[in-house]
Amino acid sequence: GTSIEGAVASHNDSKLFDDDDRLKRTGTVWTTSSHIITAVVGSGVLSLAWAIAQLGWVIGPSVMLFFSLITWYTSSLLAECYRIGDPHSGKRNYTFMEAVHTILGGFNDTLCGIVQYSNLYGTAIGYTIAAAISMMAIKRSGCFHSSGGKDGCHISSNPYMISFGVIQIFFSQIPDFHKMWWLSIVAAIMSFTYSLIGLGLAIAKVAENGSFKGSLTGVTIGMVTEAQKVWGVFQALGNIAFAYSYSQILIEIQDTIKNPPSEVKTMKQATRISIGVTTIFYMLCGGMGYAAFGDTSPGNLLTGFGFYNPYWLIDIANAAIVIHLVGAYQVYAQPLFAFVEKIMIKRWPKINKEYIVTIPGFHPYHLNLFRLIWRTIFVITTTVISMLIPFFNDVLGLIGAVGFWPLTVYFPVEMYIKQKKIPKWNYKWICMQTLSVICFVVSVVATVGSVASIVLDLKKYKPFTTDY
């Protein structure tokens, strides 16, 4: 009878714990889809009208479709790499880097770490710039409104970047990812708020114009030089790639899904739903923005001052962007914090010491001096760099371009081939490698375009003095 009792006991435990002795995961298709949508629909949506303007009505939407299909395809490959071997009971990988380490091994995980973490760092910089631009837009919109549009309302971005940095120093003290779910939900609601306001204003503008603006080939040579046109097209590719990128946190999201059904099945379903929703949404926002402004579409739909009225609505949208970016900054910074802290604590265990600070009326706070100092330095560096290079589109384009091929295409394809033991030169192998090469070329071209744009912008700018 002991074996039966043993079986019953372990079965009871399995109501609380998963096969890896971690607390039961509860994620469903819907929670997973909402995590993905939160991660994907970020400030990238605001640069899409500008990106379509560089490419025109034919190539613009086609490129968006191309990126959405590739993201969907490579995400399903990546979902297969969550467990090693058997999709139901194989050993789990908890992070993207761990999957690369266990499946590909060797130098790959170092390479992956460098790309992934510099990508997350760059995103923190891009978000600081975007948040400052939105705060300034609120200030300027009030100024335009009170002066009846007579005053140019030029202001410096530095105080806004510094104040965003101060807020982030405060939020960076949230110990880890699991304590942040509420911030993520707020951020998701905000991203839909400002995207829908942007979409609504663009539709109203099209109605007011009485026609769709824009052309089949985008910005014409004459308005810009031939070189600028080429760099613009290249950079637009990077911006669209950035708007879709979330593969670096896919496995972390997959690790929240309950089993059965197998995590792969749920993840693939959630990927289909969320990338479908995102693509429709992007097509609408990018397309209507371009239809409203044509070739003069601003780099950031809500702060490029295509719209002046109703000014209170634009202020609400920009406030939503700032709140969203406070959360998004943390979503992207937390994996980096965890990574550095793990290494440092392994090296010097003594630094991992907590002091209990009693705050009247609140829970006692666990102060970790190392965490306080290192995360504060991290936020200060991202803020200073943002003040040095305040070009929203260029930074987004560069991050999207550099991260796209390795994180979204190369690693998922290589891991899948190895995981499924696909023989070399087999038809499927050739197709996957061809896809990888095409995407590599896109990544290089977009990187060159963004670097060229940054170089052109640096000619006109002095560091620490941005005026809008």
Side-chain angles (χ1 to χ4, degrees):
T2 50
S3 60
I4 295 173
E5 281 158 21
V8 171
S10 67
H11 182 72
N12 287 347
D13 291 348
S14 76
K15 283 187 178 152
L16 295 174
F17 296 96
D18 274 331
D19 54 10
D20 59 347
D21 293 330
R22 295 202 176 185
L23 274 176
K24 263 254 183 278
R25 293 163 176 80
T26 53
T28 59
V29 171
W30 300 112
T31 61
T32 311
S33 305
S34 62
H35 278 314
I36 297 175
I37 292 171
T38 306
V40 180
V41 180
S43 52
V45 66
L46 299 171
S47 67
L48 291 175
W50 177 87
I52 294 184
Q54 307 311 305
L55 302 163
W57 275 123
V58 182
I59 301 174
S62 322
V63 167
M64 275 187 169
L65 213 55
F66 167 78
F67 277 111
S68 72
L69 289 171
I70 285 185
T71 307
W72 166 72
Y73 175 66
T74 59
S75 297
S76 7
L77 299 183
L78 191 54
E80 298 270 5
C81 302
Y82 172 63
R83 285 181 184 268
I84 305 290
D86 186 278
H88 292 282
S89 59
K91 183 187 167 304
R92 301 165 188 259
N93 291 308
Y94 299 115
T95 63
F96 187 80
M97 205 167 150
E98 195 177 318
V100 173
H101 175 73
T102 41
I103 298 173
L104 299 175
F107 179 63
N108 282 297
D109 65 337
T110 314
L111 181 70
C112 165
I114 292 168
V115 177
Q116 186 184 358
Y117 292 114
S118 47
N119 199 295
L120 295 175
Y121 186 77
T123 305
I125 294 170
Y127 283 175
T128 306
I129 297 171
I133 293 176
S134 284
M135 292 186 216
M136 290 159 66
I138 296 175
K139 180 97 172 96
R140 286 187 71 190
S141 125
C143 161
F144 278 129
H145 187 72
S146 58
S147 72
K150 295 185 182 67
D151 184 347
C153 300
H154 290 290
I155 48 179
S156 162
S157 61
N158 293 343
Y160 297 94
M161 291 193 187
I162 293 166
S163 54
F164 184 74
V166 172
I167 297 169
Q168 289 304 346
I169 287 176
F170 184 71
F171 276 108
S172 293
Q173 295 310 312
I174 297 175
D176 58 25
F177 224 45
H178 305 288
K179 307 263 191 307
M180 261 182 45
W181 56 270
W182 57 275
L183 200 57
S184 202
I185 291 172
V186 172
I189 295 168
M190 291 300 152
S191 63
F192 277 108
T193 306
Y194 66 71
S195 305
L196 289 169
I197 292 176
L199 179 61
L201 289 167
I203 293 171
K205 180 92 174 163
V206 171
E208 186 190 317
N209 295 339
S211 67
F212 275 66
K213 286 192 173 181
S215 59
L216 294 181
T217 53
V219 175
T220 44
I221 293 171
M223 267 179 74
V224 292
T225 62
E226 279 181 18
Q228 281 171 320
K229 170 76 178 173
V230 173
W231 299 137
V233 167
F234 286 179
Q235 195 193 330
L237 293 175
N239 279 31
I240 296 173
F242 178 83
Y244 275 108
S245 65
Y246 77 102
S247 50
Q248 65 259 50
I249 47 182
L250 181 136
I251 289 195
E252 283 85 335
I253 294 174
Q254 195 167 347
D255 193 36
T256 63
I257 299 174
K258 68 177 177 198
N259 180 350
S262 71
E263 296 89 355
V264 178
K265 197 177 162 194
T266 307
M267 192 65 190
K268 285 186 168 175
Q269 210 180 337
T271 302
R272 270 200 305 276
I273 296 169
S274 46
I275 292 180
V277 169
T278 308
T279 304
I280 294 168
F281 200 58
Y282 279 4
M283 289 280 190
L284 282 171
C285 287
M288 290 312 284
Y290 183 43
F293 297 111
D295 294 345
T296 58
S297 294
N300 180 328
L301 196 57
L302 287 168
T303 58
F305 283 97
F307 306 115
Y308 295 103
N309 285 311
Y311 80 105
W312 54 269
L313 189 62
I314 295 158
D315 289 353
I316 291 172
N318 279 306
I321 293 174
V322 176
I323 297 168
H324 170 229
L325 290 172
V326 169
Y329 182 103
Q330 285 304 322
V331 169
Y332 281 90
Q334 285 288 349
L336 203 151
F337 290 159
F339 175 70
V340 171
E341 282 154 30
K342 200 169 137 191
I343 291 176
M344 300 299 267
I345 289 165
K346 210 173 189 173
R347 195 84 190 267
W348 298 284
K350 282 198 178 124
I351 59 175
N352 195 19
K353 193 173 168 197
E354 298 204 331
Y355 301 91
I356 307 281
V357 182
T358 47
I359 309 166
F362 289 97
H363 287 296
Y365 179 70
H366 294 264
L367 175 71
N368 178 321
L369 277 179
F370 169 65
R371 187 169 68 209
L372 178 70
I373 294 165
W374 127 249
R375 293 187 179 190
T376 303
I377 292 171
F378 172 88
V379 175
I380 291 171
T381 58
T382 57
T383 309
V384 170
I385 295 173
S386 310
M387 287 157 66
L388 276 169
I389 47 162
F391 328 119
F392 176 69
N393 281 54
D394 303 2
V395 173
L396 286 195
L398 186 61
I399 298 164
V402 173
F404 170 67
W405 177 71
L407 298 175
T408 306
V409 185
Y410 173 76
F411 287 121
V413 164
E414 292 302 316
M415 289 197 290
Y416 183 81
I417 288 175
K418 191 149 180 205
Q419 176 89 310
K420 297 287 178 202
K421 305 189 173 53
I422 297 171
K424 232 181 186 165
W425 305 113
N426 152 318
Y427 172 70
K428 194 167 184 184
W429 186 90
I430 293 174
C431 290
M432 291 171 93
Q433 295 296 355
T434 310
L435 173 77
S436 191
V437 170
I438 293 169
C439 293
F440 176 69
V441 173
V442 171
S443 235
V444 169
V445 159
T447 304
V448 170
S450 298
V451 171
S453 299
I454 289 176
V455 170
L456 288 174
D457 281 344
L458 284 174
K459 285 183 182 157
K460 297 178 286 199
Y461 279 103
K462 300 181 191 74
F464 296 118
T465 51
T466 26
D467 288 316
Y468 282 94

